[in-house]
Amino acid sequence: MQGIQLQNVTKEYANSQGQKICALKAVNLSIKPGEFIGIAGKNGSGKTTLARLLNGLHLPSTGRVIVNGMDTGRRRQIKEIRRQVAMVFQNPDNQLVSPVIEEEVAFGPENLDLPEEEIERRVDQVLQIVGLSELRHTSPHMLSGGQKQRVAIAAALAMRPAYLVLDEPTSMLDQTGRQGILDYLRELNKRQGITIILISHNMEDLAGAARMILLQEGSIVCDAPPWEAFNREEKNLDLKPPNIVRLAQMLRKSGYLLDEQITTLEQMENSICRLLKSTT
């Protein structure tokens, strides 16, 4: 059975007073290989808890998480699960442990006891994918925030994961760095076939996803294409659509017959061109 399934998953924590706090409530979710999924929600909605359940960093209080037929609750399978589901966190400095970039990227494959030739092949490949080949002998701590995040992604890719889970990977980056990371993720999804699961509070980051999951107080309240999620009316979700979506909404209210599924600038341009052609 390929894919990731969350089957009636509830996750509870104990706070400092010993009281149980429910982070996720009876969540059912299926993620197919090759998807690009965006996950959003207010702080405390359960986004990070969900991410950490996907590769066994957290275990469900009740329910099951199944990764390509393997149960995260079975400890003998956890090493293979974590190889297949790689994690990239918000602050890359918390993940970078080696003094040189190529050593950082090689760390995971070395722990898999792979032959030296295979490790070198993987390091070369992923550094080329993320555009850091020329900096391979540099210390990762000398890089910009966007470059550090690319090193963290390269280290994850060297494990040959089927799924890449990223928890707020652009929150510490400027606009240029943020866009660079998003472009790499779309490229990985399209060219490498890696399933991308991107968590972000910035709706601009999620506009290019094929599917968007909205969490509220530990429950999934929307599982739909981004355009549909952005056009929902629930104010309590505190969902601020991307600027291009809000522009399209304003133009439609003004009487322009634009496509309702617009979430990107390219889609806006194509919709306007079609509209102009239809009126000439």
Side-chain angles (χ1 to χ4, degrees):
M1 179 174 55
Q2 297 297 303
I4 300 177
Q5 289 83 37
L6 276 72
Q7 301 173 351
N8 203 34
V9 169
T10 293
K11 179 62 179 176
E12 296 177 333
Y13 301 97
N15 63 16
S16 57
Q17 287 77 40
Q19 300 170 320
K20 285 187 177 181
I21 304 297
C22 191
L24 287 180
K25 305 171 185 175
V27 168
N28 289 285
L29 176 63
S30 180
I31 298 172
K32 298 177 182 178
E35 287 193 293
F36 193 130
I37 293 178
I39 299 179
K42 292 182 180 180
N43 289 338
S45 62
K47 302 188 300 296
T48 295
T49 297
L50 175 60
R52 291 171 180 250
L53 283 164
L54 297 179
N55 77 339
L57 287 176
H58 289 338
L59 297 178
S61 300
T62 61
R64 302 171 70 203
V65 179
I66 308 297
V67 178
N68 287 351
M70 297 176 289
D71 192 326
T72 61
R74 296 181 178 177
R75 305 313 296 173
R76 66 179 181 274
Q77 296 180 329
I78 204 67
K79 183 175 181 180
E80 176 60 16
I81 287 172
R82 289 179 180 168
R83 187 194 69 77
Q84 294 195 26
V85 184
M87 295 282 299
V88 176
F89 297 102
Q90 178 177 354
N91 187 348
D93 286 323
N94 293 338
Q95 288 185 260
L96 304 179
V97 297
S98 299
V100 179
I101 288 175
E102 65 176 5
E103 293 178 6
E104 180 70 34
V105 177
F107 181 79
E110 286 173 348
N111 285 335
L112 296 177
D113 296 324
L114 296 174
E116 185 175 342
E117 295 79 9
E118 175 61 17
I119 294 173
E120 291 178 358
R121 187 180 303 111
R122 291 193 185 191
V123 171
D124 290 343
Q125 181 185 44
V126 299
L127 287 178
Q128 185 173 7
I129 288 172
V130 302
L132 292 175
S133 296
E134 295 182 0
L135 298 175
R136 63 187 302 150
H137 301 299
T138 304
S139 168
H141 302 289
M142 301 295 292
L143 304 178
S144 68
Q147 290 172 322
K148 287 179 181 178
Q149 200 61 282
R150 279 192 273 164
V151 173
I153 292 174
L157 294 179
M159 300 290 286
R160 298 280 175 88
Y163 308 89
L164 183 60
V165 183
L166 304 105
D167 189 2
E168 301 281 5
T170 68
S171 62
M172 302 180 68
L173 307 181
D174 59 20
Q175 177 63 25
T176 300
R178 184 183 71 83
Q179 192 57 54
I181 292 299
L182 295 175
D183 289 342
Y184 281 120
L185 294 179
R186 294 188 187 102
E187 194 76 4
L188 289 172
N189 179 249
K190 290 180 181 179
R191 292 185 179 271
Q192 305 292 326
I194 296 175
T195 304
I196 302 295
I197 302 163
L198 174 62
I199 297 171
S200 181
H201 68 279
N202 188 336
M203 297 302 102
E204 305 280 351
D205 290 0
L206 306 180
R211 180 178 165 202
M212 190 163 166
I213 295 167
L214 301 180
L215 288 169
Q216 183 178 21
E217 296 180 354
S219 298
I220 295 176
V221 295
C222 179
D223 184 350
W227 67 268
E228 184 176 325
F230 292 142
N231 285 298
R232 290 172 69 94
E233 297 297 330
E234 291 93 333
K235 302 300 182 183
N236 56 350
L237 288 177
D238 195 25
L239 185 67
K240 183 180 179 182
N243 290 334
I244 199 71
V245 174
R246 287 188 284 162
L247 176 59
Q249 291 171 341
M250 292 171 58
L251 290 173
R252 283 195 293 271
K253 288 180 180 178
S254 298
Y256 294 95
L257 301 177
L258 294 177
D259 189 344
E260 291 187 355
Q261 300 186 15
I262 291 173
T263 59
T264 66
L265 178 60
E266 182 181 5
Q267 291 171 340
M268 172 69 88
E269 292 172 346
N270 292 337
S271 186
I272 290 175
C273 288
R274 287 194 296 270
L275 182 61
L276 291 173
K277 287 180 180 179
S278 68
T279 57
T280 56

